[in-house]
Amino acid sequence: MGLSDIQNRVEKEALRVGRDPKTAQLIAVSKVQPNARVEQVLQQGQRVFGENRVQEAAGKWPAFKEVYAGVELHLIGPMQSNKVRQAMGLFDVIHTVDRPKIAQTIARIKDETGSCPRLYIQVNTGAEPQKAGVLPDEADAFIEMCKELGLPIEGLMCIPPSDQDPSAHFALLADIAKRNGLGGLSMGMSGDFEQAIAHGATYVRVGSAIFGERTHEGT
């Protein structure tokens, strides 16, 4: 499809449900993509990108940021506690705050450095044992804990089960966010981002529909 097609679909769906298209931002998921493909998308004007791994992003984005002004980098993959400091220095937004140890580590480094990326809490809406994220019935307490730590929590993120209708999961995430006074919703990927926009997504994360199937550098 390519970038312009996805941008057009995002805008069209936002307008269809009565939203300002600027309230639904597209994250181009560049994980495991060759630098040449990423640069093509940068040259088309895209500035919001998502990466899964801190180390991969560290090897890719500092050089791109020197050339392309206004890049906003999002961490959308799980974060190990020993990578928190590096991630906080590299990413503008972290979508995967999912357990007390991570929250406490971020808070400590924030207090030490005086700066912090914008943060999203990952909710495991399907209660899948293999998936990261706070469970829905524990989300309110975890959000409150993060707020008490002084963390800049902007919203919530989810990845619905692949074998279920995502709409129910998007609705659940939106409900949790609303009752906790959070306006950000990071939800929706290549196959379901239009449904996510209809449920209020402020960020949709699209990779393969923009870049083609994932590959590795040099392939």
Side-chain angles (χ1 to χ4, degrees):
M1 281 191 177
L3 178 64
S4 62
D5 291 323
I6 299 301
Q7 289 173 328
N8 289 338
R9 286 173 59 188
V10 168
E11 180 176 359
K12 182 178 178 181
E13 181 61 18
L15 290 170
R16 188 190 72 80
V17 297
R19 295 179 56 189
D20 180 347
K22 292 178 182 177
T23 66
Q25 292 197 59
L26 172 64
I27 300 174
V29 179
S30 49
K31 63 180 181 180
V32 202
Q33 292 291 348
N35 285 356
R37 284 192 190 177
V38 177
E39 188 151 29
Q40 286 176 352
V41 175
L42 279 161
Q43 289 170 349
Q44 293 174 65
Q46 177 70 17
R47 289 294 180 270
V48 183
F49 289 84
E51 291 283 344
N52 260 43
R53 297 171 63 88
V54 176
Q55 197 134 347
E56 181 184 350
K60 179 188 299 181
W61 283 102
F64 279 143
K65 282 189 169 188
E66 287 185 11
V67 178
Y68 297 95
V71 168
E72 184 177 276
L73 196 58
H74 295 242
L75 178 62
I76 59 174
M79 182 167 52
Q80 298 168 307
S81 56
N82 65 349
K83 297 287 186 182
V84 170
R85 185 179 297 274
Q86 185 180 14
M88 290 177 67
L90 182 63
F91 291 93
D92 301 288
V93 189
I94 293 173
H95 292 236
T96 50
V97 180
D98 65 346
R99 58 196 187 277
K101 184 178 181 180
I102 290 292
Q104 290 158 1
T105 303
I106 292 173
R108 177 174 53 80
I109 295 170
K110 175 185 75 72
D111 292 344
E112 175 190 317
T113 63
S115 65
C116 187
R118 291 145 50 203
L119 301 174
Y120 281 67
I121 290 169
Q122 182 172 353
V123 180
N124 185 353
T125 56
E128 297 174 276
Q130 80 282 7
K131 193 171 283 182
V134 61
L135 294 173
D137 60 1
E138 298 171 1
D140 292 357
F142 184 68
I143 292 166
E144 182 61 27
M145 186 202 80
C146 289
K147 289 179 176 179
E148 289 174 356
L149 288 169
L151 297 181
I153 303 297
E154 185 171 289
L156 306 178
M157 183 270 254
C158 76
I159 305 171
S162 59
D163 60 347
Q164 295 181 23
D165 179 357
S167 291
H169 296 271
F170 298 153
L172 173 60
L173 196 73
D175 286 344
I176 297 171
K178 183 177 181 180
R179 69 173 180 251
N180 284 281
L182 299 173
L185 290 169
S186 171
M187 57 190 195
M189 297 185 286
S190 291
D192 56 23
F193 67 85
E194 284 151 322
Q195 290 170 268
I197 291 169
H199 282 86
T202 56
Y203 281 114
V204 294
R205 311 178 304 267
V206 180
S208 57
I210 294 173
F211 294 98
E213 288 305 310
R214 293 176 197 146
T215 181
H216 289 272
E217 189 70 52
T219 64

